[in-house]
Amino acid sequence: MAENLDAELDEIDAAAQRHLVRHESITDPKWPGGARIAVNFTADFDAMLLRRLMNEPPMQLAKGEFGGRVGIWRLIELFDSHSVQATIFTPGRICELYPRAVAAAAKSGHEVTDHMWEHRVPKEPELERDHLTRSTEALEMLTGKRGVGTRSGHSHGLLRELGYIYRSNGSASHRPHYLRDPDGRNVLINLPFHYSIDDAMFYSFAWMGTPTAAQRISDPERVMELWWEAFLQQHAQGRGYLNICLHPFVSGRAQRILMLDRLIRRMKEKGGVWFPSCEAVARHCIAVQPPIGGWN
């Protein structure tokens, strides 16, 4: 029994060492203007792509289509009205489906960058390269700017090769941090988010084929209070960070847009808030605390 315990402890220690090799904290981001918190408003502009991949029924596909026809425009208008520079994570195929919306978001000064080609990362290396290259080039052609960030599971080596500096995935920390391959190479900044600050978790009825007992459509006021409390906790700590994940087909509904408007107003009244794009956060962190060993 003691031998088994020793083996388990050795395994835990090895896992901790692997984690240390991959992760590096950014201890004090020193937000511009003495801000106590940086708030990223991010939108995953999936439209119906994920629904198609999951072979979901027509009514679910129609939800996605609402995001491209109506929801994205409402979010752009909301962000513009508050001078919030949002990041729109956009699959390359969306450039074919909703080119006017993609171009309009970029024209308004929002960051438009990669969210995979068709909302999946192929397992085959050459096909993965093809998908990321196509998405990168399609977005650049429409927006006039090459993206440097992604919300995807694309491999670090390929991302670095194509000029990416950050990703926005997972919740290994509550603040921006550096993330490397298991061998310690190909460093990127990760801007974490969590499903507790993700609109789809609260508003999505019939989400991804879930059973009846798992359905939910939350009151927007309840969601606002939950997100407001998360904001307050980070604001009180100082050096805080919050990444709010939205979907145009979800938060583009009228009553949810009104909730977001109230939430942003409330944050502004609190003061000490920086509302940048994800790229701005990533570049600021690199300037304030470069990764140990440089960009390897």
Side-chain angles (χ1 to χ4, degrees), residues 110-271:
H110 304 295
E111 178 188 9
V112 180
T113 195
D114 176 71
H115 191 39
M116 301 162 282
W117 170 249
E118 56 181 7
H119 210 286
R120 71 183 183 98
V121 176
K123 295 180 180 180
E124 304 85 352
E126 286 307 311
L127 188 55
E128 180 193 0
R129 175 183 295 277
D130 175 69
H131 275 216
L132 182 57
T133 300
R134 291 170 70 185
S135 179
T136 303
E137 292 178 351
L139 291 168
E140 183 179 12
M141 184 176 298
L142 260 184
T143 66
K145 181 178 179 181
R146 192 175 183 89
V148 297
T150 185
R151 179 163 281 164
S152 74
H154 279 298
S155 59
H156 277 213
L158 181 58
L159 288 167
R160 285 295 310 276
E161 181 184 333
L162 294 182
Y164 286 84
I165 64 172
Y166 81 86
R167 69 190 310 156
S168 181
N169 269 43
S171 52
S173 178
H174 62 288
R175 291 197 186 109
H177 55 277
Y178 292 111
L179 184 64
R180 297 173 169 83
D181 281 335
D183 62 2
R185 299 171 61 243
N186 295 316
V187 64
L188 292 165
I189 283 189
N190 189 50
L191 305 180
F193 75 98
H194 188 264
Y195 290 120
S196 61
I197 317 291
D198 181 334
D199 61 357
M201 300 302 107
F202 297 96
Y203 296 136
S204 295
F205 189 78
W207 175 248
M208 294 187 179
T210 47
T212 302
Q215 306 307 333
R216 66 274 190 198
I217 295 183
S218 296
D219 183 336
E221 293 303 318
R222 174 176 178 267
V223 178
M224 176 172 168
E225 288 306 312
L226 290 171
W227 292 1
W228 173 246
E229 289 175 3
F231 166 84
L232 283 181
Q233 190 272 342
Q234 285 292 292
H235 190 283
Q237 281 195 349
R239 300 173 295 171
Y241 178 73
L242 195 65
N243 189 320
I244 297 176
C245 179
L246 308 171
H247 297 77
F249 80 94
V250 177
S251 281
R253 296 291 173 179
Q255 72 273 34
R256 298 165 190 168
I257 288 288
L258 290 174
M259 180 278 278
L260 290 170
D261 179 68
R262 291 193 295 273
L263 178 62
I264 294 171
R265 291 179 188 278
R266 203 169 174 183
M267 289 176 174
K268 287 183 171 180
E269 289 171 1
K270 183 69 175 177

Side-chain angles (χ1 to χ4, degrees), residues 2-47:
E3 290 180 359
N4 290 339
L5 179 59
D6 288 341
E8 290 179 8
L9 291 173
D10 288 343
E11 185 177 339
I12 293 171
D13 182 65
Q17 293 304 314
R18 290 194 298 270
H19 182 276
L20 288 174
V21 168
R22 296 197 65 195
H23 295 79
E24 178 187 341
S25 298
I26 297 173
T27 54
D28 186 1
K30 297 183 176 67
W31 301 129
R36 296 188 61 81
I37 184 172
V39 177
N40 279 146
F41 277 93
T42 64
D44 291 1
F45 189 11
D46 308 330

